[in-house]
Amino acid sequence: MTQVLRKLVTFDEFVAKYPDNTGKRYELHDGVIVEMSQPTGDHEEIVVFLSTKITLEYSRLGLRYGIPKTVLVKPLENESAYSPDLLLLNLTNLVNEPLWKKESTVTQAASIPLVIEVVSTNWRDDYLKKYADYEEMGIPEYWIVDYGALGGREFIGKPKQPTILVCSLEEGEYRVSKFRGDDRIQSPTFPELNLTAEQIFRAGTVS
């Protein structure tokens, strides 16, 4: 049997090469460069909808938050770097981020009140790898938006149905709450956010 060995790269090597001029998106997973597939229209409509609703909420509350276009999240314990579908930044903490000015990369949980991944065909990354790394980093809130019910049955049940998992950090571990249909999302970061799972799945067709 032939074993194919992939050359591992460091984070510094990764950011020196990517993004390139191809317009493609990449992440670094334990030293392996992963090309991100082009998202579907439904995926992007959900990202736009959530970005709009969350921006309205933190603006209403007068919080110095922001949603950037291309920022990397780097766990300190491994050679990984993620480009989340939606990353909420605490702008006041960026002065403490050593990689921010040069590489637009955040490494501290204090900079990341909320991170959201909208599930695609590589669902295991969202449910397993990113879940573990975001938890290890101490990111206080992580949403997994599985609008296509792609995740494993152990995560979204049987029969599979569209589900949003809100993972809230408690004593260093995520507590997972699941929302479907007309369930109102319970967000520790935005407790007054008035959104149901179905509104998110419908990607903004409901105002």
Side-chain angles (χ1 to χ4, degrees):
M1 184 176 80
T2 301
Q3 183 177 11
V4 178
L5 298 178
R6 290 182 287 187
K7 179 182 180 297
L8 300 182
V9 301
T10 66
F11 171 77
D12 290 337
E13 291 170 334
F14 173 73
V15 296
K17 185 174 182 181
Y18 301 102
D20 55 22
N21 59 6
T22 64
K24 297 178 180 178
R25 294 172 56 237
Y26 301 90
E27 290 186 337
L28 187 66
H29 294 191
D30 292 322
V32 177
I33 296 172
V34 177
E35 180 181 335
M36 309 303 290
S37 60
Q38 179 66 18
T40 65
D42 289 343
H43 178 286
E44 293 300 273
E45 287 180 38
I46 289 174
V47 172
V48 169
F49 177 70
L50 285 173
S51 297
T52 301
K53 294 298 185 181
I54 290 172
T55 298
L56 289 171
E57 188 65 6
Y58 72 68
S59 298
R60 182 184 71 83
L61 295 171
L63 298 171
R64 286 207 64 223
Y65 288 171
I67 298 175
K69 181 181 179 182
T70 51
V71 170
L72 293 174
V73 175
K74 184 190 184 315
L76 289 176
E77 303 303 320
N78 56 46
E79 294 295 335
S80 295
Y82 304 126
S83 178
D85 290 311
L86 192 153
L87 173 64
L88 183 65
L89 286 181
N90 175 7
L91 302 178
T92 61
N93 194 64
L94 295 181
V95 67
N96 300 315
E97 288 284 359
L99 302 176
W100 175 251
K101 288 293 186 181
K102 185 178 179 181
E103 294 162 337
S104 63
T105 297
V106 289
T107 62
Q108 301 173 10
S111 300
I112 312 168
L114 171 65
V115 63
I116 298 176
E117 299 286 1
V118 180
V119 176
S120 300
T121 52
N122 57 337
W123 60 267
R124 288 177 177 82
D125 290 338
D126 299 328
Y127 279 100
L128 298 170
K129 179 161 183 49
K130 293 181 181 181
Y131 178 100
D133 280 346
Y134 292 157
E135 182 182 64
E136 178 69 23
M137 290 178 70
I139 294 175
E141 187 171 350
Y142 170 38
W143 293 16
I144 302 173
V145 180
D146 195 345
Y147 71 97
L150 298 174
R153 288 185 292 274
E154 65 179 301
F155 303 111
I156 60 175
K158 182 180 180 180
K160 293 185 180 183
Q161 57 183 310
T163 305
I164 295 173
L165 284 70
V166 174
C167 312
S168 309
L169 199 69
E170 294 184 1
E171 299 180 352
E173 297 181 2
Y174 277 143
R175 177 179 62 82
V176 179
S177 301
K178 300 177 183 179
F179 302 92
R180 304 180 179 96
D182 292 330
D183 295 341
R184 180 176 172 271
I185 303 298
Q186 302 295 315
S187 167
T189 305
F190 299 111
E192 297 178 56
L193 186 66
N194 189 19
L195 279 181
T196 67
E198 185 60 26
Q199 283 177 295
I200 295 170
F201 297 143
R202 290 172 60 187
T205 58
V206 177
S207 60

